[in-house]
């Protein structure tokens, strides 16, 4: 792969070296639309976006019982190990955010470290992965809402109606300002984590079914054959945490805000997941939890909540699972829109996608395009009489999850290569030792997920093979597109992932400048 770290003889006209393009001014937008609002998001706002994308309540109620079923009592440790691995990745990732001001997230980082062809591949893979995660979850939204309506009011609504309505709700929330979205996500996230905190409080106060025990952390319960499967579920549960860098242009003091939000999100998710899984094990007791999982895996958290808190809390859990899914979809929708906005302003995607709403300052055209894509794909699954959970959710989410893990592994390599090529004072620990360790661990996580893919999809070998190959195919398509653009539009290729020429500052100063003598 061509890294283009130095001038080369015989380069095509208009093509400049990677390090020169990184500092060259980006092409001006052809439309007169304003840009995104600057300096509007703080640490908490960005952390809300990231944690909401992971959908903690949905992951715990819907997936954690499966992790307990295959991994046994040691399942909480799997979430801790996954969190520790992603924290290592975050060290190099956040160190690089201080040197790359571009708002393109993964593809900007990979372009700087591994060259523009790899950056194009990463951009294509990111669009596939985030859209797969976001659109697939409409199937989960439909089934989750059906379950809630039936459990609470005995109402039965066809799943396509719920899915199509969900597309409209997510479009509207993404159309509004980023501050509005952050407030919505903050409320929804507090609701879904709050119900799990109530469950934890009830179990701790009662002492659990058999007394509180720490046998989940005993080596004999952790070093078991099912731990690999638990790790696969655990890594999938952190999906979306890396999207902090996408909000760089809207963050206050991004050099500090982005790293802090990333570390807070990883730490919260890792500790919260492990604690909650341990709590539900205590709720049933170490000797009886596996039987409870086998009897009713999807009812595990509802049964525990009813017993230790009350039926009213279990009813709220049904509602908060729906809002948890909506929060996750909104977070992914916003991330996709900002990727599309950035690529449109690069000249790679149609210019219309680079327009920003004059009032809300949201990438509203990209939002419309993403919502239309969601409608078309959901309609396709409806026309095929597909199952919303087994097919729409799992078949769309699986390539997305694999794609995001692959992007993290490639980014870890890019961090190492980037700091080998530029002068810096970041130290070898953050720029060499940790990125190498993160590369190995992220590659291992990717292998685990692929090896255990049948547990996640419940599909056959042919279907699973196609789902797994979708991610590398998307990356390869992006690389091919890079070489074509280099030949046909060299100015676009040369400016790809270039540093923005405008400074990182608010659109409007909050106070008048102080005169100087």
């Amino acid at each position: 792969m061509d890294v283009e770290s130095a001038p080369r003889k015989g380069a095509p006209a208009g093509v400049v070296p990677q390090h020169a393009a990184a500092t060259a001014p980006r092409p001006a937008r052809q439309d007169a639309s304003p840009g995104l609002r600057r300096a509007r998001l703080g640490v908490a706002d960005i952390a809300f976006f990231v944690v909401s994308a992971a959908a903690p309540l949905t992951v715990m109620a819907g997936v954690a019982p499966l992790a307990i079923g295959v991994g046994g009592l040691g399942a909480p440790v799997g979430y801790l190990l996954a969190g520790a691995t992603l924290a290592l990745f975050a060290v190099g990732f956040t160190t690089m955010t201080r040197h790359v001001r571009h708002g393109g997230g993964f593809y900007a980082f990979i372009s700087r470290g591994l060259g523009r062809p790899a950056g194009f591949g990463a951009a294509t893979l990111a669009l596939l992965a985030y859209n797969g995660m976001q659109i697939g979850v409409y199937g989960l939204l439909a089934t989750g809402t059906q379950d809630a309506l039936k459990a609470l009011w005995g109402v039965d609504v066809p799943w396509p109606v719920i899915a199509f309505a969900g597309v409209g709700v997510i479009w509207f929330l993404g159309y509004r300002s980023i501050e509005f979205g952050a407030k919505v996500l903050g409320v929804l996230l507090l609701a879904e984590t709050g119900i799990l905190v109530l469950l934890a409080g009830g179990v701790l106060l009662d002492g659990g079914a058999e007394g509180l025990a720490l046998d989940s952390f005993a080596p004999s319960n952790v070093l078991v054959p099912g731990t690999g499967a638990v790790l696969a579920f655990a890594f999938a549960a952190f999906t979306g945490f890396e999207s902090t860098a996408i909000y760089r242009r809207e963050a206050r003091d991004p050099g500090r805000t982005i790293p802090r939000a990333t570390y807070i999100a990883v730490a919260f998710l890792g500790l919260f997941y492990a604690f909650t899984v341990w709590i539900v094990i205590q709720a049933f007791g170490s000797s009886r939890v596996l039987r409870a999982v086998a009897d009713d895996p999807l009812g595990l958290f509802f049964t525990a909540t009813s017993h230790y808190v009350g039926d009213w809390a279990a009813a709220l859990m049904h509602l908060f699972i729906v809002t948890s899914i909506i929060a996750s979809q909104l977070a992914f929708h916003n991330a996709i829109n900002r990727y599309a906005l950035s690529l449109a302003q690069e000249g790679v995607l149609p210019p219309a996608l680079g327009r920003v709403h004059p009032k809300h300052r949201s990438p509203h055209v990209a939002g419309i395009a993403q919502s239309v894509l969601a409608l078309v794909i959901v309609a396709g699954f409806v026309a095929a009489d597909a199952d919303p959970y087994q097919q729409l959710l799992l078949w769309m989410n699986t390539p997305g999850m694999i794609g995001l893990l692959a992007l993290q592994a490639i980014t870890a390599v890019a961090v190492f290569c980037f700091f080998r090529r530029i002068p810096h004072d970041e130290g070898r620990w953050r720029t060499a030792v940790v990125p190498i360790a993160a590369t190995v661990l992220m590659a291992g996580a990717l292998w685990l997920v692929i090896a255990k893919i049948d547990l996640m999809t419940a599909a056959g070998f042919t279907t699973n093979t196609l789902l797994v190959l979708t991610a590398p195919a998307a990356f390869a398509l992006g690389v091919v597109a890079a070489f074509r653009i280099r030949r046909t539009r060299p100015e676009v290729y040369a400016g790809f992932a270039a540093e923005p020429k405008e400074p990182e500052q608010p659109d409007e100063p909050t106070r008048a400048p102080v005169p100087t003598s």
Side-chain angles (χ1 to χ4, degrees):
M1 185 173 290
D2 184 9
V3 177
E4 300 183 297
S5 59
R8 296 182 298 135
K9 293 182 180 180
V15 177
V16 296
Q18 177 76 13
H19 71 279
T23 57
R26 299 174 65 186
R29 294 197 304 271
Q30 298 302 311
D31 62 271
S33 66
L36 299 172
R37 282 197 173 102
R38 300 280 181 172
R40 295 304 177 98
L41 300 179
V43 173
D45 297 322
I46 297 175
F48 282 147
F49 277 110
V50 172
V51 176
S52 295
L57 176 58
T58 304
V59 165
M60 288 292 94
V63 181
L66 303 179
I68 296 171
V70 297
L73 301 182
V77 177
Y79 290 90
L80 291 177
L81 292 175
T85 299
L86 293 172
L88 276 179
F89 167 79
V91 171
F93 178 72
T94 56
T95 299
M96 196 167 173
T97 61
R98 293 197 287 267
H99 298 262
V100 177
R101 295 191 300 118
H102 194 281
F106 278 143
Y107 82 76
F109 284 37
I110 292 172
S111 294
R112 299 297 167 75
L114 301 177
R116 285 188 290 275
F120 273 89
T124 306
L125 182 53
L127 287 176
L128 167 83
Y130 280 108
N131 273 292
M133 296 298 298
Q134 201 270 349
I135 297 173
V137 174
Y138 282 113
L140 183 61
L141 175 64
T143 55
T145 304
Q146 279 184 320
D147 290 343
L149 292 174
K150 191 173 295 185
L152 299 178
W153 298 290
V155 177
D156 192 3
V157 179
W159 78 263
V161 174
I162 299 171
F164 289 135
V167 174
V169 171
I170 298 302
W171 165 79
F172 175 75
L173 294 175
Y175 169 79
R176 295 293 302 272
S177 69
I178 192 68
E179 300 99 318
F180 177 81
K183 291 175 182 177
V184 170
L185 288 179
V187 172
L188 298 184
L189 181 61
L190 289 175
E192 64 177 298
T193 54
I195 199 69
L196 291 173
V197 170
L198 280 177
L199 170 61
V203 173
L204 292 175
L205 289 174
D206 188 83
E210 300 172 348
L212 302 179
L214 297 177
D215 48 355
S216 289
F217 306 96
S220 60
N221 288 323
V222 174
L223 303 176
V224 296
T227 298
V230 174
L231 285 170
F233 284 119
F235 278 109
F238 285 82
T239 301
F241 92 92
E242 74 297 322
S243 61
T244 51
I246 299 173
Y247 299 101
R248 182 180 187 92
R249 285 187 280 180
E250 296 157 289
R252 294 194 293 268
D253 190 8
R256 293 178 180 271
T257 304
I258 300 299
R260 289 178 180 176
T262 304
Y263 285 125
I264 288 172
V266 173
F268 173 80
L269 289 173
L271 295 173
F272 189 74
Y273 284 155
F275 174 70
T276 304
V277 175
W278 176 77
I279 280 291
V280 82
I281 291 173
Q282 304 311 302
F284 290 90
S286 300
S287 66
R288 289 183 286 179
V289 67
L290 293 180
R291 175 60 63 86
V293 169
D295 290 342
D296 186 15
L298 296 181
L300 194 73
F301 275 79
F302 295 99
T303 301
T305 302
S306 293
H307 179 78
Y308 288 97
V309 184
D311 291 339
W312 63 270
L316 281 180
M317 184 173 282
H318 277 289
L319 293 177
F320 290 161
I321 282 180
V322 174
T323 60
S324 169
I325 298 168
I326 291 173
S328 175
Q329 287 186 295
L330 176 58
F332 278 117
H333 179 72
N334 283 328
I336 295 164
N337 295 347
R338 279 148 184 80
Y339 262 113
L341 174 76
S342 182
L343 288 168
Q345 293 176 351
E346 300 269 19
V348 177
L349 292 181
L353 298 177
R355 294 177 184 166
V356 176
H357 194 275
K359 177 182 178 182
H360 300 303
R361 305 293 282 273
S362 61
H364 66 299
V365 179
I368 293 172
Q370 200 277 329
S371 298
V372 170
L373 177 63
L375 284 173
V376 170
I377 292 177
V378 172
F381 277 88
V382 173
D385 197 25
D387 183 85
Y389 187 92
Q390 292 290 338
Q391 292 167 319
L392 175 55
L393 172 67
L394 298 181
W395 289 7
M396 292 294 294
N397 268 199
T398 298
M401 176 180 59
I402 291 173
L404 290 179
L405 285 173
L407 284 170
Q408 290 167 10
I410 299 169
T411 300
V413 177
V415 170
F416 175 81
C417 294
F418 175 78
F419 284 111
R420 302 284 69 74
R421 294 166 44 208
I422 68 164
H424 63 86
D425 57 359
E426 298 287 359
R428 289 184 61 82
W429 173 256
R430 287 184 293 181
T431 62
V433 177
V434 171
I436 290 173
T439 299
V440 174
L441 292 172
M442 292 308 306
L446 181 59
W447 177 83
L448 273 175
V449 169
I450 293 174
K452 304 295 182 181
I453 201 71
D454 57 317
L455 293 176
M456 301 182 181
T457 65
F461 176 80
T462 302
T463 299
N464 286 335
T465 300
L466 291 174
L467 294 176
V468 169
L469 291 179
T470 301
F475 188 89
L477 180 64
V479 173
V480 171
F483 290 120
R484 183 177 183 277
I485 290 174
R486 185 171 70 175
R487 184 180 69 256
T488 60
R489 293 187 290 161
E491 72 287 350
V492 171
Y493 181 84
F496 184 74
E499 284 289 81
K501 62 181 180 180
E502 67 270 15
E504 293 182 324
Q505 61 185 14
D507 298 320
E508 305 161 354
T510 55
R511 53 187 173 185
V514 179
T516 57
S517 57

